[in-house]
Amino acid sequence: MATEFEQLDIFNDFFKEIIEESMYDKLKEVCKIPEDEEIIVSDIAFYPIYHKLDGFKCLKRIMIKHSNKEDYQNVSIDELEDSGASWIEFIEYLKNCGATIVNPKDVY
């Protein structure tokens, strides 16, 4: 019989997998990749857009582009968090999957 901690680990792994699938689906949607096609996250470039709120630097949105597309897509924090992940988890997912963070100065 599994201990409470083992059950918790199983639940956390299951929940993490669901969230990662949701982030993956959000990326496909944003990059306009058809549902029946796969997307390679390492083919994505992104850059964050920040603003100051009460003297603190906060993420406002991120711009995302798949390598086979010409234009960056504007993705709000709310859209990212619709996946069930926080925006911090979403950016970490992008980085961990090999997506390229771009300097906005290189785009403009």
Side-chain angles (χ1 to χ4, degrees):
M1 185 167 162
T3 69
E4 289 178 31
F5 290 117
E6 289 171 330
Q7 290 174 348
L8 187 58
D9 285 344
I10 291 168
F11 176 76
N12 284 339
D13 290 344
F14 178 70
F15 187 69
K16 181 180 177 184
E17 188 176 311
I18 291 171
I19 296 296
E20 286 180 354
E21 274 184 40
S22 183
M23 289 187 284
Y24 180 85
D25 291 343
K26 178 57 77 176
L27 289 171
K28 282 179 63 170
E29 175 189 326
V30 168
C31 295
K32 297 179 174 82
I33 304 297
E35 254 186 64
D36 60 334
E37 292 183 23
E38 297 297 317
I39 186 172
I40 298 172
V41 180
S42 61
D43 289 343
I44 292 175
F46 73 99
Y47 61 93
I49 305 289
Y50 295 95
H51 71 280
K52 288 223 176 185
L53 182 64
D54 298 327
F56 294 99
K57 183 178 172 182
C58 299
L59 186 68
K60 185 174 184 180
R61 65 183 182 270
I62 64 173
M63 303 299 287
I64 296 176
K65 180 177 95 78
H66 190 271
S67 62
N68 68 0
K69 306 289 181 182
E70 286 195 32
D71 298 322
Y72 281 87
Q73 302 300 312
N74 180 13
V75 185
S76 72
I77 298 306
D78 290 339
E79 287 178 275
L80 293 178
E81 292 180 342
D82 282 346
S83 69
S86 71
W87 64 266
I88 294 169
E89 290 171 315
F90 207 100
I91 289 177
E92 285 301 313
Y93 175 76
L94 287 168
K95 289 178 184 177
N96 291 340
C97 291
T100 304
I101 188 163
V102 176
N103 185 336
K105 293 176 184 175
D106 295 338
V107 176
Y108 298 108

